[in-house]
Amino acid sequence: MMKAKLMQKVLAGALTVALVAAPSMSVFASGAQGSGSNTCGGSSTTTEAAVVEIVNAAVAPTESSSGSGSGTVSSIAEIPTTSSVAGVKTSVAGVYMATSVNGTAITTGLADIASSYGLAAGEKPYARIYNMDTKKSPLAAAAIDQAAAAKGAVVGPYVNVELGKLSSGKFSLLASEGAPITLKFGIPKSFAQDGKTFAVVCVRPGGAVSILEDTDTNPNTVTFNTTGGQGAYAIIKY
């Protein structure tokens, strides 16, 4: 029991490290790129360069990446604020930098999320989705791999997901015990395979692991229900 609790604490720390760049994303999430104001005593140009560097570090492809292209950007203006999967556009604005999958989309309606999570006037749902670096978060990856192995499954691309809200330009996470939010990942061609069943493994800070079944019939996508907050996700097939 003590070892299990210790593992949960270490895993939570690993996830925090994996998502360490996320708070810096609020610099541009609130539209700061158009303000021209200085931050921390530096010029807006310096600030933009720092944010771009953080974003590119967070989404840099790894050896296990199944996506095509690096997805890196050279300016804040190039950071995707929306995404689509198989013609379905995401309902929530955000930072969509997960190049390891063939697109990501939140299909639960914006108003439904705002209502079910009790967002106040002036607050709006906001998502941040980007590649997970297994080298920076080895314990989260190990937990995903173990869950997949228990089902005899093969692990595909890993993705970091943060489902939160913007309030006065500041980002915070939605409650992880909230109402269901439906996400859709595009399955990379390199991982697609006829006759296989696809699902998603999710690891939460604290060590909770769940396998989220595919709810659609499209062989090129995996659709699943999750909740707010942050987590490490991976597509699996078996």
Side-chain angles (χ1 to χ4, degrees):
M1 180 66 68
M2 288 295 293
K3 289 184 177 179
K5 290 183 178 179
L6 177 60
M7 177 62 73
Q8 288 183 350
K9 289 181 179 180
V10 174
L11 179 57
L15 277 172
T16 300
V17 171
L19 301 171
V20 70
S24 300
M25 291 183 178
S26 61
V27 173
F28 58 80
S30 60
Q33 63 267 35
S35 65
S37 60
N38 293 345
T39 303
C40 299
S43 68
S44 59
T45 301
T46 301
T47 300
E48 175 170 341
V51 172
V52 168
E53 182 178 357
I54 290 170
V55 171
N56 285 337
V59 302
T62 62
E63 292 178 1
S64 60
S65 174
S66 300
S68 59
S70 67
T72 56
V73 298
S74 58
S75 69
I76 290 176
E78 294 178 19
I79 297 172
T81 58
T82 188
S83 178
S84 63
V85 178
V88 178
K89 185 177 179 180
T90 187
S91 62
V92 177
V95 176
Y96 289 89
M97 294 291 291
T99 58
S100 61
V101 292
N102 192 18
T104 57
I106 299 169
T107 61
T108 302
L110 195 70
D112 290 338
I113 296 174
S115 175
S116 61
Y117 282 84
L119 270 59
E123 296 181 331
K124 64 178 181 178
Y126 198 85
R128 299 195 294 211
I129 305 176
Y130 49 99
N131 297 346
M132 172 182 159
D133 188 339
T134 58
K135 293 180 179 179
K136 293 180 180 178
S137 192
L139 291 178
I144 289 172
D145 294 347
Q146 185 176 21
K151 287 187 72 70
V154 177
V155 181
Y158 302 82
V159 180
N160 277 327
V161 175
E162 292 179 292
L163 300 177
K165 65 180 180 180
L166 281 184
S167 180
S168 299
K170 295 183 179 180
F171 179 81
S172 60
L173 294 168
L174 294 174
S176 60
E177 66 273 12
I181 297 176
T182 303
L183 269 70
K184 185 185 291 287
F185 288 166
I187 301 171
K189 290 182 179 179
S190 59
F191 192 64
Q193 186 176 350
D194 291 339
K196 291 292 186 179
T197 297
F198 289 86
V200 170
V201 178
C202 173
V203 180
R204 297 282 189 167
V209 180
S210 55
I211 296 180
L212 311 173
E213 302 297 336
D214 187 9
T215 62
D216 70 32
T217 57
N218 188 334
N220 299 314
T221 67
V222 54
T223 302
F224 57 97
N225 293 319
T226 186
T227 56
Q230 68 183 30
Y233 294 73
I235 301 177
I236 63 171
K237 62 182 177 182
Y238 53 95

